[in-house]
PDB file of all heavy atoms in Angstrom:
ATOM      1  N   ARG W 145     114.604 119.411 134.690  1.00  0.00           N
ATOM      2  CA  ARG W 145     113.853 120.491 135.349  1.00  0.00           C
ATOM      3  C   ARG W 145     112.867 119.931 136.346  1.00  0.00           C
ATOM      4  O   ARG W 145     112.086 120.633 136.963  1.00  0.00           O
ATOM      5  CB  ARG W 145     113.105 121.341 134.308  1.00  0.00           C
ATOM      6  CG  ARG W 145     111.821 120.695 133.770  1.00  0.00           C
ATOM      7  CD  ARG W 145     111.164 121.424 132.634  1.00  0.00           C
ATOM      8  NE  ARG W 145     110.737 122.782 132.942  1.00  0.00           N
ATOM      9  CZ  ARG W 145     109.663 123.110 133.665  1.00  0.00           C
ATOM     10  NH1 ARG W 145     108.943 122.201 134.274  1.00  0.00           N
ATOM     11  NH2 ARG W 145     109.322 124.377 133.836  1.00  0.00           N
ATOM     12  N   HIS W 178     121.533 108.230 111.310  1.00  0.00           N
ATOM     13  CA  HIS W 178     121.742 109.562 111.873  1.00  0.00           C
ATOM     14  C   HIS W 178     123.184 109.724 112.347  1.00  0.00           C
ATOM     15  O   HIS W 178     123.858 110.717 112.091  1.00  0.00           O
ATOM     16  CB  HIS W 178     120.733 109.786 112.968  1.00  0.00           C
ATOM     17  CG  HIS W 178     120.802 111.149 113.601  1.00  0.00           C
ATOM     18  ND1 HIS W 178     120.480 112.276 112.891  1.00  0.00           N
ATOM     19  CD2 HIS W 178     121.156 111.580 114.858  1.00  0.00           C
ATOM     20  CE1 HIS W 178     120.619 113.361 113.698  1.00  0.00           C
ATOM     21  NE2 HIS W 178     121.021 112.953 114.881  1.00  0.00           N
ATOM     22  N   SER W 211     116.479  89.218 125.132  1.00  0.00           N
ATOM     23  CA  SER W 211     117.097  89.435 126.444  1.00  0.00           C
ATOM     24  C   SER W 211     117.111  90.918 126.824  1.00  0.00           C
ATOM     25  O   SER W 211     117.631  91.294 127.862  1.00  0.00           O
ATOM     26  CB  SER W 211     118.555  88.903 126.395  1.00  0.00           C
ATOM     27  OG  SER W 211     119.331  89.650 125.462  1.00  0.00           O
ATOM     28  N   ASP W 248     110.947 113.841 115.217  1.00  0.00           N
ATOM     29  CA  ASP W 248     111.287 113.367 113.835  1.00  0.00           C
ATOM     30  C   ASP W 248     111.727 111.927 113.886  1.00  0.00           C
ATOM     31  O   ASP W 248     111.564 111.144 112.941  1.00  0.00           O
ATOM     32  CB  ASP W 248     112.372 114.271 113.202  1.00  0.00           C
ATOM     33  CG  ASP W 248     113.679 114.332 114.018  1.00  0.00           C
ATOM     34  OD1 ASP W 248     113.636 114.072 115.202  1.00  0.00           O
ATOM     35  OD2 ASP W 248     114.724 114.674 113.408  1.00  0.00           O
ATOM     36  N   ALA W 251     108.478 109.738 113.813  1.00  0.00           N
ATOM     37  CA  ALA W 251     107.872 109.835 112.463  1.00  0.00           C
ATOM     38  C   ALA W 251     108.653 108.974 111.511  1.00  0.00           C
ATOM     39  O   ALA W 251     108.059 108.284 110.641  1.00  0.00           O
ATOM     40  CB  ALA W 251     107.767 111.288 112.051  1.00  0.00           C
ATOM     41  N   THR W 292      72.248  89.557  90.314  1.00  0.00           N
ATOM     42  CA  THR W 292      72.069  90.936  90.841  1.00  0.00           C
ATOM     43  C   THR W 292      71.018  90.805  91.914  1.00  0.00           C
ATOM     44  O   THR W 292      70.118  89.940  91.823  1.00  0.00           O
ATOM     45  CB  THR W 292      71.635  91.918  89.771  1.00  0.00           C
ATOM     46  OG1 THR W 292      70.357  91.490  89.260  1.00  0.00           O
ATOM     47  CG2 THR W 292      72.604  92.004  88.612  1.00  0.00           C
ATOM     48  N   TRP W 302      82.596  80.842  85.653  1.00  0.00           N
ATOM     49  CA  TRP W 302      83.409  80.831  86.869  1.00  0.00           C
ATOM     50  C   TRP W 302      84.650  81.678  86.733  1.00  0.00           C
ATOM     51  O   TRP W 302      85.054  82.455  87.609  1.00  0.00           O
ATOM     52  CB  TRP W 302      83.730  79.367  87.183  1.00  0.00           C
ATOM     53  CG  TRP W 302      84.703  79.120  88.312  1.00  0.00           C
ATOM     54  CD1 TRP W 302      86.041  78.814  88.205  1.00  0.00           C
ATOM     55  CD2 TRP W 302      84.387  79.200  89.719  1.00  0.00           C
ATOM     56  NE1 TRP W 302      86.578  78.654  89.452  1.00  0.00           N
ATOM     57  CE2 TRP W 302      85.592  78.906  90.394  1.00  0.00           C
ATOM     58  CE3 TRP W 302      83.284  79.501  90.444  1.00  0.00           C
ATOM     59  CZ2 TRP W 302      85.673  78.855  91.769  1.00  0.00           C
ATOM     60  CZ3 TRP W 302      83.364  79.479  91.856  1.00  0.00           C
ATOM     61  CH2 TRP W 302      84.558  79.167  92.485  1.00  0.00           C
ATOM     62  N   MET W 307      87.886  86.409  88.026  1.00  0.00           N
ATOM     63  CA  MET W 307      88.663  87.545  87.515  1.00  0.00           C
ATOM     64  C   MET W 307      88.100  88.893  87.988  1.00  0.00           C
ATOM     65  O   MET W 307      88.831  89.905  88.026  1.00  0.00           O
ATOM     66  CB  MET W 307      88.741  87.504  85.985  1.00  0.00           C
ATOM     67  CG  MET W 307      89.573  86.389  85.475  1.00  0.00           C
ATOM     68  SD  MET W 307      91.215  86.301  86.190  1.00  0.00           S
ATOM     69  CE  MET W 307      91.962  87.734  85.435  1.00  0.00           C
ATOM     70  N   GLY W 333     115.630 114.785 110.755  1.00  0.00           N
ATOM     71  CA  GLY W 333     116.330 116.071 110.573  1.00  0.00           C
ATOM     72  C   GLY W 333     115.387 117.236 110.734  1.00  0.00           C
ATOM     73  O   GLY W 333     115.799 118.397 110.762  1.00  0.00           O
ATOM     74  N   ASN W 361     109.167 120.204 104.641  1.00  0.00           N
ATOM     75  CA  ASN W 361     108.778 121.199 105.641  1.00  0.00           C
ATOM     76  C   ASN W 361     108.849 120.553 107.013  1.00  0.00           C
ATOM     77  O   ASN W 361     108.175 119.522 107.278  1.00  0.00           O
ATOM     78  CB  ASN W 361     107.352 121.648 105.326  1.00  0.00           C
ATOM     79  CG  ASN W 361     106.859 122.702 106.288  1.00  0.00           C
ATOM     80  OD1 ASN W 361     106.800 122.453 107.513  1.00  0.00           O
ATOM     81  ND2 ASN W 361     106.457 123.892 105.784  1.00  0.00           N
ATOM     82  N   ARG W 369     100.667 112.403 109.745  1.00  0.00           N
ATOM     83  CA  ARG W 369     100.394 110.976 109.858  1.00  0.00           C
ATOM     84  C   ARG W 369      99.547 110.505 108.679  1.00  0.00           C
ATOM     85  O   ARG W 369      98.899 109.473 108.721  1.00  0.00           O
ATOM     86  CB  ARG W 369      99.701 110.625 111.196  1.00  0.00           C
ATOM     87  CG  ARG W 369     100.611 110.807 112.396  1.00  0.00           C
ATOM     88  CD  ARG W 369     101.739 109.815 112.451  1.00  0.00           C
ATOM     89  NE  ARG W 369     102.555 110.006 113.617  1.00  0.00           N
ATOM     90  CZ  ARG W 369     103.613 110.835 113.751  1.00  0.00           C
ATOM     91  NH1 ARG W 369     103.962 111.590 112.740  1.00  0.00           N
ATOM     92  NH2 ARG W 369     104.278 110.927 114.860  1.00  0.00           N
ATOM     93  N   SER W 411      88.765  74.873 107.052  1.00  0.00           N
ATOM     94  CA  SER W 411      87.409  74.750 107.618  1.00  0.00           C
ATOM     95  C   SER W 411      87.520  74.200 109.036  1.00  0.00           C
ATOM     96  O   SER W 411      88.611  73.720 109.415  1.00  0.00           O
ATOM     97  CB  SER W 411      86.550  73.782 106.781  1.00  0.00           C
ATOM     98  OG  SER W 411      86.633  74.099 105.404  1.00  0.00           O
ATOM     99  N   LEU W 443      92.012 106.660 114.025  1.00  0.00           N
ATOM    100  CA  LEU W 443      93.151 107.540 113.786  1.00  0.00           C
ATOM    101  C   LEU W 443      92.687 108.843 113.129  1.00  0.00           C
ATOM    102  O   LEU W 443      93.287 109.901 113.451  1.00  0.00           O
ATOM    103  CB  LEU W 443      94.261 106.815 112.964  1.00  0.00           C
ATOM    104  CG  LEU W 443      95.574 107.633 112.790  1.00  0.00           C
ATOM    105  CD1 LEU W 443      96.130 108.023 114.158  1.00  0.00           C
ATOM    106  CD2 LEU W 443      96.587 106.887 112.002  1.00  0.00           C
ATOM    107  N   SER W 568      74.386  81.214  75.583  1.00  0.00           N
ATOM    108  CA  SER W 568      74.277  82.538  76.211  1.00  0.00           C
ATOM    109  C   SER W 568      75.618  83.104  76.603  1.00  0.00           C
ATOM    110  O   SER W 568      75.945  84.236  76.232  1.00  0.00           O
ATOM    111  CB  SER W 568      73.348  82.438  77.422  1.00  0.00           C
ATOM    112  OG  SER W 568      73.380  83.611  78.167  1.00  0.00           O
ATOM    113  N   PRO W 580      83.958  82.779  77.378  1.00  0.00           N
ATOM    114  CA  PRO W 580      85.306  82.216  77.719  1.00  0.00           C
ATOM    115  C   PRO W 580      86.443  82.839  76.935  1.00  0.00           C
ATOM    116  O   PRO W 580      87.531  83.016  77.509  1.00  0.00           O
ATOM    117  CB  PRO W 580      85.112  80.708  77.372  1.00  0.00           C
ATOM    118  CG  PRO W 580      83.640  80.469  77.664  1.00  0.00           C
ATOM    119  CD  PRO W 580      82.942  81.740  77.212  1.00  0.00           C
TER     120      PRO W 580
END
Side-chain angles (χ1 to χ4, degrees):
R145 79 188 298 289
H178 184 66
S211 64
D248 59 338
T292 61
W302 173 256
M307 292 308 289
N361 181 303
R369 291 295 181 272
S411 309
L443 187 55
S568 171

